[in-house]
Amino acid sequence: MQDMAAGAGSSMLYSLLLFLVILSLQEMYRGKLASTELFTILGGFTSSLLFLVLLTFIGNFQESNGMKTGWGAVVLAEVVALIAAGTVHRVCITTCFLFSGGLLYEVNKLSGIAQSKVESKTRRH
């Protein structure tokens, strides 16, 4: 059975491309995203997706260079995402922060599950 996970290099490339596409689309539709309350919330959500893909990029970059990823990567990705959200609307900053916190919680939970599966496989062998 093949492992479906992408390597650090290809994952880094895909996350960088996704970051550029999401940021470009967000800036292209900035006026629409700032037009109503619901679209403003959507603008914050798209900015939190920027946070997620940028965090993936930074984590893979650090992993490929042999460094350990820590809270500095999270803070850097969050600051960049909040700046991008601020270009759309001020309320997007708040919603981006809230959505990013939820995404970070879920990614941390998934990471813990994946890590425990890897550890249980290594204990059996």
Side-chain angles (χ1 to χ4, degrees), residues 12-117:
M12 187 170 60
L13 176 66
Y14 296 148
S15 60
L16 179 63
L17 291 174
L18 267 173
F19 176 81
L20 294 173
V21 167
I22 294 169
L23 182 64
S24 299
L25 288 171
Q26 182 174 326
E27 292 303 313
M28 279 174 46
Y29 294 105
R30 177 185 350 185
K32 181 70 172 170
L33 289 172
S35 64
T36 66
E37 292 176 4
L38 188 60
F39 281 133
T40 304
I41 294 170
L42 181 64
F45 179 72
T46 57
S47 295
S48 68
L49 292 177
L50 285 173
F51 161 75
L52 185 64
V53 295
L54 187 59
L55 182 62
T56 304
F57 173 77
I58 294 169
N60 285 316
F61 180 77
Q62 288 179 334
E63 181 183 328
S64 66
N65 288 328
M67 296 183 292
K68 186 173 169 129
T69 304
W71 283 104
V74 175
V75 171
L76 177 64
E78 184 66 20
V79 166
V80 171
L82 292 175
I83 290 170
T87 64
V88 175
H89 194 276
R90 289 180 302 182
V91 176
C92 288
I93 298 171
T94 305
T95 56
C96 172
F97 186 77
L98 295 173
F99 282 125
S100 296
L103 285 173
L104 186 61
Y105 173 76
E106 291 299 322
V107 166
N108 186 40
K109 193 166 67 170
L110 287 172
S111 174
I113 292 169
Q115 186 66 29
S116 67
K117 285 183 180 179

